Structure formats: C-alpha cells, structure tokens
Amino acid sequence: MTDQEFNIIDELYFVTSFEALQQELGLPEPELREALRGLISMNYIKCLFPDQDTEVPFDPDHFTREGHRYFFLATKEGLLTHNSR
C-alpha cells in the first residue's frame, strides 16, 4: 500500500464524499480519481451513490461522469490492510 493509498483509507473509516476527501487530502481531482480506482480494484473501498446509504458496483464510465458525487467507505479488507501497516 502506497502512502497515498494509506492516507485515503485513513479518511474512510466513515462515509466520506469525494469532495470532502479531495479537500482533506489536497490532491488534484485526476490523481484522486486514479488512486480511488486502484483502491476499488483491490476491494479496499466501496462506492456509494447517489447517497451515503446506497452501495453501487463500480462502473468506470459512470465514475468518470459522476465520480465527484460519490461517497466512499473503507471495506473490512481495506481496514485490515491499513491497520497492519
């Protein structure tokens, strides 16, 4: 897990919006999107859309269009990996 991925998961112990995550981490949008894609592909975080309570499967096209409106939450696997570092 990279430092960037570690820092992202560190923010996702609770449901967090894309915008709040970007603001907290200070990452440019394209860099944050790419890091989130990587974490999603490793099953370390899950996507919630259009609200904080609705989990959706990752759809790259939809994420490209609407990713700024997503919410994210670390998965159990992501938290275990994060805490083992």
XYZ file of all heavy atoms in Angstrom:
707
model
N 0.854 -1.175 0.000
C 0.000 0.000 0.000
C 0.902 1.240 0.000
O 1.795 1.357 0.824
C -0.913 -0.022 1.234
C -1.788 1.197 1.360
S -2.933 1.138 2.771
C -4.024 -0.159 2.258
N 0.622 2.130 -0.924
C 1.409 3.365 -1.011
C 1.001 4.332 0.104
O -0.054 4.165 0.729
C 1.196 4.068 -2.359
O -0.161 4.534 -2.426
C 1.503 3.149 -3.539
N 1.830 5.330 0.328
C 1.481 6.352 1.324
C 0.181 7.047 0.954
O -0.654 7.331 1.823
C 2.600 7.387 1.440
C 3.835 6.850 2.152
O 3.727 5.801 2.829
O 4.893 7.474 2.035
N 0.007 7.319 -0.328
C -1.208 7.983 -0.791
C -2.437 7.116 -0.504
O -3.451 7.604 0.003
C -1.098 8.288 -2.277
C -2.278 9.055 -2.818
C -2.136 9.281 -4.306
O -2.144 8.330 -5.086
N -1.969 10.539 -4.687
N -2.354 5.827 -0.817
C -3.467 4.912 -0.555
C -3.738 4.821 0.950
O -4.894 4.808 1.378
C -3.162 3.529 -1.125
C -3.157 3.499 -2.634
C -2.584 2.228 -3.211
O -1.838 1.513 -2.507
O -2.870 1.954 -4.385
N -2.682 4.762 1.729
C -2.820 4.731 3.191
C -3.570 5.964 3.688
O -4.496 5.864 4.494
C -1.430 4.652 3.841
C -1.470 4.556 5.331
C -1.548 3.318 5.955
C -1.419 5.699 6.124
C -1.589 3.226 7.351
C -1.460 5.615 7.500
C -1.547 4.371 8.119
N -3.189 7.132 3.179
C -3.829 8.384 3.599
C -5.297 8.436 3.184
O -6.136 8.968 3.923
C -3.079 9.582 3.029
C -1.714 9.742 3.647
O -1.442 9.251 4.730
N -0.819 10.418 2.939
N -5.610 7.894 2.026
C -7.007 7.869 1.583
C -7.828 6.981 2.507
O -8.880 7.382 3.003
C -7.114 7.416 0.114
C -6.541 8.496 -0.815
C -8.572 7.108 -0.244
C -6.401 8.070 -2.253
N -7.358 5.766 2.742
C -8.113 4.858 3.618
C -8.227 5.434 5.020
O -9.240 5.258 5.697
C -7.491 3.452 3.617
C -7.729 2.811 2.249
C -8.085 2.584 4.719
C -7.182 1.422 2.095
N -7.210 6.147 5.454
C -7.244 6.790 6.765
C -8.447 7.724 6.897
O -8.974 7.918 7.991
C -5.943 7.567 6.975
C -5.598 7.756 8.430
O -5.808 6.802 9.220
O -5.106 8.842 8.785
N -8.895 8.285 5.793
C -10.051 9.195 5.785
C -11.381 8.462 5.617
O -12.439 9.075 5.716
C -9.908 10.220 4.647
C -8.712 11.133 4.776
C -8.796 12.047 5.983
O -9.917 12.469 6.334
O -7.739 12.315 6.587
N -11.329 7.152 5.364
C -12.554 6.436 5.003
C -13.025 5.444 6.066
O -13.672 4.455 5.756
C -12.360 5.734 3.655
C -12.112 6.673 2.479
C -11.904 5.882 1.197
C -13.258 7.668 2.317
N -12.721 5.732 7.307
C -13.281 4.919 8.388
C -14.779 5.177 8.507
O -15.521 4.352 9.019
C -12.580 5.227 9.714
C -11.310 4.424 9.907
C -10.181 4.668 9.138
C -11.262 3.412 10.852
C -9.027 3.933 9.311
C -10.115 2.667 11.043
C -9.002 2.935 10.262
O -7.858 2.185 10.440
N -15.195 6.331 8.055
C -16.611 6.699 7.991
C -16.903 7.139 6.565
O -15.992 7.545 5.839
C -16.922 7.831 8.987
C -16.614 7.469 10.401
C -15.424 7.870 10.997
C -17.498 6.706 11.145
C -15.117 7.522 12.314
C -17.203 6.347 12.464
C -16.013 6.754 13.044
N -18.157 7.095 6.182
C -18.545 7.502 4.835
C -18.080 8.935 4.581
O -18.310 9.827 5.403
C -20.075 7.390 4.643
C -20.490 7.929 3.285
C -20.533 5.950 4.815
N -17.417 9.125 3.446
C -16.866 10.431 3.091
C -17.136 10.711 1.623
O -16.982 9.831 0.777
C -15.339 10.449 3.350
O -15.106 10.079 4.706
C -14.749 11.815 3.093
N -17.525 11.928 1.317
C -17.796 12.304 -0.074
C -16.485 12.535 -0.828
O -15.447 12.810 -0.232
C -18.641 13.580 -0.131
O -17.869 14.699 0.296
N -16.570 12.448 -2.137
C -15.407 12.718 -2.987
C -14.868 14.109 -2.708
O -13.666 14.302 -2.545
C -15.804 12.583 -4.469
C -14.658 12.810 -5.415
C -13.895 11.754 -5.862
C -14.344 14.090 -5.856
C -12.830 11.957 -6.728
C -13.286 14.310 -6.730
C -12.528 13.237 -7.164
N -15.760 15.078 -2.648
C -15.340 16.467 -2.444
C -14.652 16.663 -1.092
O -13.637 17.346 -0.998
C -16.527 17.413 -2.611
C -17.000 17.477 -4.042
C -18.231 18.348 -4.235
O -18.824 18.796 -3.228
O -18.601 18.573 -5.394
N -15.191 16.053 -0.038
C -14.572 16.176 1.289
C -13.207 15.494 1.296
O -12.252 16.005 1.889
C -15.475 15.574 2.357
N -13.117 14.363 0.629
C -11.855 13.642 0.538
C -10.804 14.471 -0.206
O -9.671 14.608 0.248
C -12.097 12.321 -0.187
C -11.062 11.228 -0.109
C -10.731 10.870 1.326
C -11.558 10.005 -0.856
N -11.225 15.064 -1.293
C -10.308 15.901 -2.080
C -9.844 17.106 -1.261
O -8.661 17.442 -1.245
C -10.978 16.359 -3.371
C -10.036 17.122 -4.276
C -10.698 17.554 -5.568
O -11.922 17.576 -5.675
N -9.891 17.900 -6.536
N -10.754 17.711 -0.570
C -10.419 18.881 0.241
C -9.469 18.497 1.378
O -8.496 19.195 1.647
C -11.686 19.512 0.806
C -11.434 20.766 1.589
C -12.734 21.414 2.069
O -13.806 20.857 1.929
N -12.619 22.583 2.634
N -9.740 17.387 2.029
C -8.916 16.958 3.167
C -7.503 16.566 2.739
O -6.530 16.884 3.414
C -9.596 15.782 3.884
C -8.921 15.365 5.154
C -8.937 16.432 6.240
O -9.919 17.168 6.362
O -7.931 16.504 6.974
N -7.403 15.882 1.596
C -6.103 15.382 1.152
C -5.338 16.367 0.276
O -4.132 16.248 0.104
C -6.283 14.058 0.397
C -6.852 12.916 1.229
C -7.191 11.738 0.345
C -5.876 12.509 2.322
N -6.059 17.313 -0.318
C -5.416 18.301 -1.176
C -4.862 17.732 -2.475
O -3.911 18.271 -3.027
N -5.447 16.640 -2.941
C -4.986 16.025 -4.186
C -5.735 16.600 -5.381
O -6.936 16.876 -5.279
C -5.228 14.510 -4.150
C -4.432 13.699 -3.146
C -4.921 12.262 -3.122
C -2.955 13.753 -3.495
N -5.062 16.738 -6.516
C -5.774 17.144 -7.730
C -6.814 16.068 -8.084
O -6.591 14.872 -7.823
C -4.679 17.196 -8.796
C -3.390 17.212 -8.051
C -3.647 16.552 -6.733
N -7.915 16.484 -8.667
C -9.002 15.552 -8.963
C -8.547 14.337 -9.768
O -8.886 13.203 -9.400
C -10.155 16.275 -9.679
C -11.343 15.372 -9.885
C -12.570 16.096 -10.403
O -12.727 17.304 -10.139
O -13.372 15.427 -11.068
N -7.790 14.492 -10.859
C -7.385 13.299 -11.624
C -6.547 12.315 -10.797
O -6.709 11.096 -10.905
C -6.560 13.862 -12.782
C -6.963 15.292 -12.892
C -7.346 15.717 -11.504
N -5.691 12.835 -9.944
C -4.849 11.976 -9.106
C -5.682 11.229 -8.075
O -5.477 10.030 -7.827
C -3.789 12.843 -8.422
C -2.692 12.076 -7.752
C -1.602 12.985 -7.205
O -1.353 14.069 -7.766
O -1.006 12.586 -6.185
N -6.644 11.908 -7.481
C -7.526 11.275 -6.508
C -8.379 10.207 -7.182
O -8.525 9.100 -6.660
C -8.408 12.313 -5.808
C -9.402 11.763 -4.784
C -8.704 10.956 -3.696
C -10.212 12.910 -4.181
N -8.927 10.517 -8.339
C -9.749 9.533 -9.069
C -8.950 8.268 -9.365
O -9.445 7.157 -9.188
C -10.260 10.119 -10.382
C -11.442 11.030 -10.231
C -11.867 11.541 -11.613
N -12.920 12.507 -11.520
C -14.213 12.219 -11.646
N -14.589 10.994 -11.879
N -15.112 13.171 -11.558
N -7.719 8.429 -9.819
C -6.885 7.279 -10.152
C -6.570 6.453 -8.911
O -6.614 5.222 -8.944
C -5.596 7.739 -10.840
C -4.834 6.637 -11.510
C -5.643 5.847 -12.532
O -6.462 6.431 -13.265
O -5.462 4.610 -12.588
N -6.263 7.106 -7.813
C -5.983 6.394 -6.559
C -7.223 5.645 -6.074
O -7.126 4.493 -5.621
C -5.499 7.380 -5.502
N -8.385 6.274 -6.187
C -9.625 5.615 -5.778
C -9.908 4.398 -6.650
O -10.305 3.346 -6.149
C -10.801 6.596 -5.838
C -10.787 7.687 -4.769
C -11.817 8.764 -5.089
C -11.020 7.113 -3.382
N -9.676 4.517 -7.950
C -9.861 3.369 -8.851
C -9.001 2.192 -8.405
O -9.453 1.048 -8.401
C -9.489 3.735 -10.286
C -10.480 4.586 -11.010
C -9.935 4.930 -12.414
N -10.672 5.982 -13.034
C -11.714 5.804 -13.844
N -12.112 4.580 -14.118
N -12.331 6.827 -14.369
N -7.754 2.481 -8.046
C -6.857 1.423 -7.597
C -7.347 0.755 -6.324
O -7.336 -0.475 -6.208
N -7.790 1.557 -5.370
C -8.290 1.016 -4.111
C -9.573 0.213 -4.312
O -9.774 -0.813 -3.660
C -8.515 2.145 -3.105
C -7.229 2.785 -2.577
C -7.533 4.103 -1.874
C -6.495 1.831 -1.652
N -10.418 0.667 -5.220
C -11.654 -0.061 -5.526
C -11.301 -1.407 -6.152
O -11.873 -2.433 -5.802
C -12.563 0.773 -6.455
C -13.099 1.991 -5.712
C -13.708 -0.082 -6.999
C -13.683 3.082 -6.602
N -10.331 -1.410 -7.065
C -9.959 -2.650 -7.751
C -9.365 -3.678 -6.777
O -9.444 -4.876 -7.017
C -8.982 -2.375 -8.893
O -7.706 -2.034 -8.388
N -8.766 -3.217 -5.677
C -8.214 -4.122 -4.665
C -9.253 -4.491 -3.608
O -8.935 -5.186 -2.639
C -6.998 -3.468 -3.992
C -5.821 -3.311 -4.915
S -4.359 -2.651 -4.076
C -4.785 -0.916 -3.927
N -10.465 -3.984 -3.772
C -11.558 -4.213 -2.824
C -11.258 -3.619 -1.452
O -11.671 -4.146 -0.427
C -11.882 -5.705 -2.714
C -13.218 -5.946 -2.055
O -14.173 -5.209 -2.284
N -13.294 -6.956 -1.213
N -10.536 -2.498 -1.421
C -10.213 -1.826 -0.171
C -11.224 -0.749 0.185
O -11.295 -0.326 1.338
C -8.825 -1.199 -0.232
C -7.686 -2.194 -0.171
C -6.379 -1.769 -0.330
C -7.895 -3.548 0.050
C -5.323 -2.655 -0.277
C -6.849 -4.447 0.095
C -5.566 -3.997 -0.057
O -4.519 -4.888 -0.003
N -11.970 -0.274 -0.800
C -13.032 0.701 -0.533
C -14.251 0.351 -1.371
O -14.143 -0.333 -2.390
C -12.596 2.162 -0.812
C -12.225 2.370 -2.267
C -11.457 2.570 0.107
C -11.937 3.824 -2.619
N -15.398 0.829 -0.924
C -16.626 0.621 -1.690
C -17.222 1.970 -2.059
O -16.976 2.981 -1.405
C -17.626 -0.247 -0.942
C -18.043 0.255 0.413
C -18.946 -0.770 1.070
C -19.246 -0.435 2.507
N -20.095 -1.456 3.123
N -18.013 1.955 -3.129
C -18.639 3.162 -3.673
C -20.084 3.248 -3.218
O -20.804 2.251 -3.217
C -18.651 3.115 -5.200
S -17.049 2.935 -5.949
N -20.490 4.459 -2.894
C -21.868 4.727 -2.510
C -22.385 5.855 -3.394
O -21.709 6.871 -3.575
C -21.929 5.120 -1.031
C -21.288 4.093 -0.100
C -20.774 4.743 1.168
C -22.268 3.008 0.223
N -23.572 5.660 -3.965
C -24.146 6.648 -4.870
C -25.623 6.353 -5.031
O -25.985 5.185 -5.123
C -23.444 6.575 -6.240
C -23.938 7.582 -7.234
C -23.403 8.862 -7.267
C -24.951 7.271 -8.126
C -23.854 9.797 -8.176
C -25.419 8.196 -9.026
C -24.867 9.459 -9.048
N -26.512 7.268 -5.100
C -26.359 8.714 -5.089
C -26.334 9.299 -3.685
O -26.218 10.499 -3.504
C -27.589 9.190 -5.850
C -28.654 8.192 -5.504
C -27.904 6.875 -5.372
N -26.457 8.409 -2.670
C -26.438 8.895 -1.290
C -25.478 8.043 -0.469
O -24.881 7.101 -0.970
C -27.849 8.886 -0.692
C -28.495 7.513 -0.784
O -27.865 6.533 -0.352
O -29.626 7.421 -1.297
N -25.365 8.360 0.789
C -24.414 7.689 1.668
C -24.816 6.273 2.056
O -24.023 5.546 2.650
C -24.240 8.504 2.950
C -23.713 9.887 2.721
C -23.527 10.631 4.033
O -23.242 10.037 5.054
N -23.680 11.940 3.992
N -26.022 5.881 1.719
C -26.534 4.580 2.150
C -26.676 3.557 1.033
O -27.051 2.421 1.304
C -27.906 4.766 2.819
C -27.824 5.646 4.046
O -26.856 5.494 4.818
O -28.707 6.498 4.228
N -26.399 3.945 -0.199
C -26.629 3.048 -1.327
C -25.318 2.627 -1.961
O -24.674 3.407 -2.663
C -27.528 3.733 -2.383
O -28.709 4.226 -1.742
C -27.904 2.755 -3.481
N -24.918 1.372 -1.701
C -23.693 0.853 -2.298
C -23.977 0.476 -3.749
O -25.019 -0.108 -4.063
C -23.196 -0.367 -1.527
C -21.877 -0.881 -2.044
C -21.314 -2.028 -1.231
O -21.873 -2.352 -0.161
O -20.312 -2.606 -1.673
N -23.057 0.828 -4.623
C -23.194 0.509 -6.041
C -21.926 -0.205 -6.512
O -20.837 0.055 -6.013
C -23.438 1.767 -6.909
C -24.775 2.394 -6.596
C -22.330 2.779 -6.751
N -22.082 -1.108 -7.489
C -20.882 -1.718 -8.061
C -20.117 -0.656 -8.851
O -20.711 0.288 -9.377
C -21.421 -2.818 -8.976
C -22.846 -2.469 -9.225
C -23.302 -1.618 -8.076
N -18.820 -0.810 -8.916
C -18.003 0.175 -9.619
C -18.249 0.079 -11.113
O -18.137 -0.973 -11.715
C -16.523 -0.040 -9.317
C -15.644 0.969 -10.000
C -15.668 2.296 -9.611
C -14.820 0.594 -11.040
C -14.864 3.241 -10.237
C -14.004 1.526 -11.672
C -14.029 2.842 -11.272
N -18.597 1.203 -11.716
C -18.806 1.326 -13.158
C -17.871 2.429 -13.640
O -18.104 3.607 -13.333
C -20.264 1.679 -13.435
C -20.557 1.927 -14.907
O -19.615 2.117 -15.711
O -21.748 1.958 -15.257
N -16.797 2.076 -14.367
C -15.809 3.079 -14.773
C -16.405 4.261 -15.540
O -16.001 5.407 -15.316
C -14.832 2.307 -15.655
C -15.029 0.875 -15.305
C -16.445 0.743 -14.826
N -17.357 3.997 -16.431
C -17.956 5.086 -17.199
C -18.752 6.027 -16.302
O -18.657 7.251 -16.416
C -18.852 4.543 -18.314
C -18.063 3.800 -19.378
O -16.877 4.148 -19.595
O -18.618 2.865 -19.972
N -19.542 5.459 -15.419
C -20.337 6.281 -14.506
C -19.419 7.055 -13.562
O -19.661 8.219 -13.270
C -21.324 5.416 -13.724
C -22.344 6.215 -12.983
N -22.235 6.476 -11.642
C -23.472 6.831 -13.407
C -23.268 7.211 -11.266
N -24.032 7.439 -12.317
N -18.362 6.395 -13.095
C -17.413 7.050 -12.199
C -16.740 8.235 -12.896
O -16.526 9.274 -12.289
C -16.367 6.047 -11.711
C -15.415 6.618 -10.700
C -15.838 6.918 -9.413
C -14.098 6.844 -11.026
C -14.966 7.441 -8.469
C -13.206 7.359 -10.091
C -13.649 7.660 -8.819
N -16.444 8.081 -14.171
C -15.835 9.177 -14.930
C -16.775 10.380 -14.994
O -16.346 11.518 -14.842
C -15.475 8.707 -16.359
O -14.514 7.653 -16.245
C -14.887 9.827 -17.182
N -18.065 10.106 -15.201
C -19.049 11.194 -15.311
C -19.477 11.759 -13.961
O -19.639 12.962 -13.805
C -20.299 10.695 -16.045
C -20.127 10.441 -17.515
C -21.456 10.171 -18.213
N -22.349 9.255 -17.507
C -22.315 7.923 -17.592
N -21.403 7.333 -18.330
N -23.172 7.187 -16.930
N -19.689 10.889 -12.986
C -20.332 11.294 -11.732
C -19.471 11.084 -10.488
O -19.963 11.241 -9.373
C -21.643 10.512 -11.546
C -22.656 10.727 -12.645
C -23.280 12.102 -12.626
O -23.264 12.774 -11.566
O -23.789 12.520 -13.670
N -18.215 10.743 -10.649
C -17.357 10.420 -9.507
C -17.287 11.495 -8.451
O -17.159 11.204 -7.262
N -17.411 12.731 -8.865
C -17.361 13.845 -7.908
C -18.575 13.858 -6.982
O -18.585 14.573 -5.987
C -17.246 15.179 -8.655
C -18.409 15.472 -9.530
N -18.588 14.874 -10.764
C -19.466 16.285 -9.339
C -19.721 15.313 -11.290
N -20.277 16.166 -10.448
N -19.599 13.051 -7.292
C -20.803 12.981 -6.465
C -20.858 11.704 -5.625
O -21.805 11.484 -4.884
C -22.040 13.069 -7.353
C -22.135 14.427 -8.049
C -23.358 14.554 -8.937
N -24.566 14.152 -8.248
C -25.575 13.514 -8.832
N -25.532 13.206 -10.114
N -26.653 13.185 -8.138
N -19.835 10.862 -5.734
C -19.790 9.599 -5.000
C -19.416 9.823 -3.533
O -18.828 10.832 -3.170
C -18.730 8.675 -5.604
C -19.174 7.832 -6.765
C -19.921 8.358 -7.811
C -18.794 6.504 -6.851
C -20.285 7.582 -8.894
C -19.147 5.712 -7.932
C -19.905 6.256 -8.946
O -20.265 5.482 -10.014
N -19.733 8.811 -2.747
C -19.274 8.691 -1.376
C -18.461 7.405 -1.311
O -18.679 6.488 -2.111
C -20.463 8.596 -0.404
C -21.301 9.838 -0.360
C -22.345 10.023 -1.255
C -21.058 10.826 0.581
C -23.119 11.168 -1.224
C -21.831 11.973 0.630
C -22.860 12.149 -0.274
N -17.568 7.315 -0.355
C -16.706 6.142 -0.235
C -16.604 5.714 1.218
O -16.744 6.519 2.135
C -15.299 6.453 -0.774
C -15.314 6.901 -2.198
C -15.348 8.250 -2.500
C -15.322 5.983 -3.234
C -15.383 8.683 -3.814
C -15.360 6.405 -4.549
C -15.386 7.758 -4.845
N -16.312 4.419 1.391
C -16.125 3.851 2.717
C -15.130 2.708 2.597
O -15.204 1.903 1.653
C -17.457 3.321 3.269
C -17.435 2.728 4.669
C -17.082 3.789 5.719
C -18.776 2.090 5.003
N -14.202 2.625 3.533
C -13.243 1.522 3.532
C -13.967 0.216 3.816
O -14.913 0.170 4.613
C -12.161 1.770 4.573
N -13.529 -0.839 3.166
C -14.073 -2.173 3.432
C -13.314 -2.790 4.596
O -12.271 -2.292 5.024
C -13.909 -3.086 2.199
O -12.504 -3.247 1.947
C -14.612 -2.511 0.978
N -13.810 -3.904 5.081
C -13.118 -4.621 6.154
C -11.705 -4.987 5.695
O -10.732 -4.814 6.430
C -13.903 -5.875 6.542
C -13.272 -6.655 7.663
C -14.123 -7.849 8.036
C -13.480 -8.624 9.176
N -14.293 -9.786 9.545
N -11.591 -5.476 4.469
C -10.284 -5.837 3.922
C -9.349 -4.629 3.859
O -8.169 -4.717 4.197
C -10.462 -6.435 2.520
C -9.203 -6.939 1.917
C -9.417 -7.575 0.539
O -10.581 -7.748 0.120
O -8.403 -7.895 -0.102
N -9.895 -3.501 3.451
C -9.095 -2.283 3.382
C -8.628 -1.828 4.756
O -7.475 -1.418 4.922
N -9.515 -1.911 5.738
C -9.149 -1.508 7.095
C -8.104 -2.440 7.701
O -7.176 -1.996 8.377
C -10.394 -1.460 7.988
C -11.407 -0.360 7.636
C -12.654 -0.512 8.488
C -10.798 1.016 7.784
N -8.242 -3.741 7.447
C -7.252 -4.686 7.963
C -5.886 -4.435 7.360
O -4.857 -4.451 8.057
C -7.702 -6.122 7.680
C -8.887 -6.629 8.496
C -9.361 -7.990 7.988
C -8.514 -6.725 9.972
N -5.845 -4.175 6.065
C -4.577 -3.880 5.393
C -4.000 -2.562 5.931
O -2.811 -2.460 6.197
C -4.776 -3.805 3.870
O -5.311 -5.045 3.426
C -3.473 -3.532 3.154
N -4.854 -1.583 6.084
C -4.439 -0.271 6.592
C -3.851 -0.398 8.000
O -2.815 0.183 8.303
C -5.657 0.658 6.592
C -5.404 2.027 7.106
N -5.674 2.373 8.410
C -4.927 3.136 6.508
C -5.365 3.642 8.589
N -4.909 4.144 7.446
N -4.507 -1.175 8.839
C -4.069 -1.297 10.233
C -2.874 -2.213 10.418
O -2.229 -2.171 11.464
C -5.226 -1.768 11.102
C -6.272 -0.701 11.278
O -5.952 0.478 11.321
N -7.523 -1.091 11.343
N -2.554 -3.021 9.419
C -1.406 -3.915 9.539
C -0.106 -3.228 9.119
O 0.961 -3.799 9.252
C -1.624 -5.184 8.699
O -1.611 -4.866 7.325
N -0.212 -2.036 8.619
C 0.974 -1.311 8.156
C 1.688 -0.632 9.286
O 1.213 -0.130 10.206
C 0.547 -0.290 7.108
C 1.711 0.446 6.549
C 1.293 1.228 5.360
N 2.458 1.987 4.927
C 2.401 3.167 4.385
N 1.264 3.727 4.144
N 3.481 3.788 4.010
